[in-house]
Amino acid sequence: MQNDARRAEILSTLAKSQKPISATTLAAAYHVSRQSIVGDIALLRASGADIIATSRGYLLAAASRQPLLKKTIACRHDAAAIREELYIAVDEGCTVADVSVEHPLYGELRGQLQLSTRHEVDAFLARSAECAAQPLSLLTSGIHLHTLLCPDEAAYRRVTEKLRTAGILLSE
């Protein structure tokens, strides 16, 4: 398969998927190296494809866009409260799309999460522990933002109320 045809197929595959697809999975499907896929994704992004790189793989942003309410919340907590914070959001049917912090030198730093279930939260935290990765919020004394994709306003209100009760919500 020619490179251009493979990139078109990768884009088509991502468009059909609601879940992230790893570079390893794509490499196996197209009989190329993982590094070839990483290069293909870079070229697709450079040509305008809105591909999100998550810790679990690639996701076409358009494929994840549903008629959901997009909200940003500000939180503050230590590393021990990450699981509680994420569980609160996903238990109410929301997706935690990302986390961002305002760094004094680099400006906004953002990490893609795309977490929608407790299983995904647990897998994310397990990967974090395996590689001894520190959360972005460590850079800002626990203060960070999350973009939430909520099914409706009621779900958003439930999340913010539970985060407020838990002492996690910084402001709305």
Side-chain angles (χ1 to χ4, degrees), residues 7-21 26 41 44-45 47-54 57-66 112 114 149:
R7 283 191 281 277
E9 286 293 318
I10 289 169
L11 202 53
S12 175
T13 299
L14 292 174
K16 294 173 189 169
S17 178
Q18 293 297 314
K19 299 281 186 184
I21 303 173
L26 291 169
I41 296 294
L44 287 166
R45 284 173 152 172
S47 69
D50 196 3
I51 299 172
I52 299 169
T54 74
Y58 298 108
L59 182 67
L60 189 63
S64 67
R65 287 192 196 122
Q66 302 164 4
Q112 295 296 325
Q114 302 299 327
L149 303 175

Side-chain angles (χ1 to χ4, degrees), residues 20-82:
I21 303 173
S22 73
T24 302
T25 300
L26 291 169
Y30 297 106
H31 309 291
V32 295
S33 70
R34 182 186 175 286
Q35 192 57 40
S36 292
I37 296 297
V38 171
D40 287 341
I41 296 294
L43 290 170
L44 287 166
R45 284 173 152 172
S47 69
D50 196 3
I51 299 172
I52 299 169
T54 74
S55 61
R56 293 182 324 276
Y58 298 108
L59 182 67
L60 189 63
S64 67
R65 287 192 196 122
Q66 302 164 4
L68 297 174
L69 185 64
K70 185 177 179 180
K71 294 284 194 171
T72 301
I73 58 170
C75 298
R76 184 177 197 171
H77 58 78
D78 60 16
I82 293 174

